[in-house]
Amino acid sequence: MKHDGKTTALLILDLQKPSCTMRRRVRCVDTIPKVKKLMDEARAAGAMVFYTFAGEGKPSEIADPGLAPRDGEWVAQRGPDKFLGSDLEKRLKDRGIKTVIVTGSSAQGVVIGTGSGAAQRGYKVIVPVDGMSSDEAYMEQYTAFHMSKGGPSVVIDQVTLTRSDMIQFCNLQLPHDRPDAQHGAAEVDNTVENAGVAVPRPRLTERFGQNSPGPANEPDGMANARHFNGAH
């Protein structure tokens, strides 16, 4: 599925030093190229991009200079639900946003907290598993399970669990020297059926490993928590 940049927001939550570093959280550093690609494409499509920094954080603490926010795109906010104590909801309403893509660290904190908050406010929530991170794979797997199958229906009915390279925008204006400047629709060689429509299914073992611990330890990792565009 392609997303209209005019009604889509990319949330980049708490990707900051000192937590998102090779010394502190290697899995967070691994997500940076994925999130940056999403950021570049979101900007090219005219989508809203919104950042948070934990506590009294500021843009100079961003995990990588290539992810730096622009003026007015960020707030400092403490806690897992970034709707609380910030103007995020107003920003989304003012822009006419219908869909939010949630990335960040830690997964069990900001992704569950803010993703659930968005779902309960009626937004469609996209969670790329390779755009969220924690100290260990199990906490990311827990987050994926909670958001796609294990959480309350008011949340999971609004959530699509996917992978960053399956998220695409309409009307991209990418530089022609970008190797992916001409990429088309998301690959559908590994799909589930949803109301007769082929929906890409992420190979989540690429993020969590074949034998990830926890209740979703199944042949395709989290794949059997099938909740893609409403199918579960």
Side-chain angles (χ1 to χ4, degrees), residues 44 70 91 112 129 157:
R70 296 174 178 173
R91 293 183 187 224
I112 288 181
V129 296
D157 287 349

Side-chain angles (χ1 to χ4, degrees), residues 1-3 34 37-38 41 101 126-130 160-169 183-192 199-204 206 228-229:
M1 174 181 292
K2 290 192 175 184
H3 301 286
K34 308 292 188 181
K37 183 172 181 291
L38 283 175
E41 294 184 353
I101 302 168
I126 311 298
V127 179
V129 296
D130 54 352
T160 297
L161 194 69
T162 188
R163 198 177 63 202
S164 63
D165 61 354
M166 292 180 175
I167 298 173
Q168 299 190 15
F169 295 91
H183 63 13
E187 297 176 2
V188 292
D189 63 326
N190 186 25
T191 63
V192 292
V199 180
R201 186 181 75 187
R203 299 178 182 89
L204 300 179
E206 294 178 10
F228 305 97
N229 293 331

Side-chain angles (χ1 to χ4, degrees), residues 144-199:
F145 180 81
H146 180 88
M147 294 299 290
S148 66
K149 192 175 182 72
S153 60
V154 68
V155 171
I156 66 174
D157 287 349
Q158 296 290 102
V159 173
T160 297
L161 194 69
T162 188
R163 198 177 63 202
S164 63
D165 61 354
M166 292 180 175
I167 298 173
Q168 299 190 15
F169 295 91
C170 303
N171 303 318
L172 280 182
Q173 300 296 321
L174 292 172
H176 289 293
D177 59 352
R178 275 277 300 267
D180 55 346
Q182 302 299 322
H183 63 13
E187 297 176 2
V188 292
D189 63 326
N190 186 25
T191 63
V192 292
E193 292 297 320
N194 177 30
V197 178
V199 180

